[in-house]
Amino acid sequence: MMDWSELNVVAILIGALLYAVYGGIYYTIMLGKKKDTQFKQTEGPLKYVVSIMIAFVSSFIVAFFVQAAGAEGTLSGLIVGLFIGIIITLVYLKNTLFGLVTKKAFYIAVGDHLIIFALIGMVHGFINGM
């Protein structure tokens, strides 16, 4: 049985902050300089608010899986994070095969998710191992 009280709040906060900062940098580099017409961003600040909420929820989910796997240490956290990234990659791959996502968007999104979930997993694994 999962003990929710053992989830490390500090790790969740650090993971969420890492996700938010990384996302800002990644998408600025990947989409900021290119005015590609296939990518249309929504207008207004709501996208930033939702992005921060997603960062916290994602870090919480990684914390749950790292805790459930008993991952203690950077390497085991990395492995848990990569598995999460691979699952997300498979979903994007299916959507790409059915034409719902362009190949370019697939590579951008997959790169983002594989890297960030591996990093968040490493953070949670490291802090759990302390």
Side-chain angles (χ1 to χ4, degrees):
M1 187 78 175
M2 179 71 179
D3 185 1
W4 295 97
S5 66
E6 289 190 23
L7 291 180
N8 191 312
V9 176
V10 172
I12 293 170
L13 293 173
I14 292 171
L17 180 64
L18 175 64
Y19 194 133
V21 169
Y22 171 81
I25 294 168
Y26 185 85
Y27 283 101
T28 297
I29 292 169
M30 296 305 292
L31 300 176
K33 295 179 183 177
K34 302 173 187 170
K35 299 298 178 197
D36 200 330
T37 57
Q38 72 176 331
F39 301 117
K40 284 191 170 184
Q41 292 188 28
T42 58
E43 296 295 323
L46 184 60
K47 64 184 169 192
Y48 300 108
V49 172
V50 172
S51 294
I52 295 297
M53 291 169 48
I54 290 170
F56 278 97
V57 170
S58 297
S59 186
F60 178 83
I61 290 170
V62 173
F64 172 82
F65 282 115
V66 166
Q67 179 73 24
E72 293 183 352
T74 307
L75 181 60
S76 56
L78 169 72
I79 292 168
V80 172
L82 280 175
F83 276 122
I84 295 168
I86 289 168
I87 291 168
I88 293 169
T89 297
L90 293 174
V91 172
Y92 271 104
L93 177 60
K94 177 192 59 88
N95 290 339
T96 303
L97 293 173
F98 282 94
L100 299 172
V101 176
T102 66
K103 286 184 182 178
K104 184 175 183 179
F106 170 76
Y107 292 122
I108 291 169
V110 165
D112 171 38
H113 290 98
L114 284 173
I115 293 168
I116 194 55
F117 281 102
L119 291 172
I120 295 172
M122 289 171 65
V123 166
H124 284 280
F126 176 76
I127 292 175
N128 278 356
M130 292 177 68

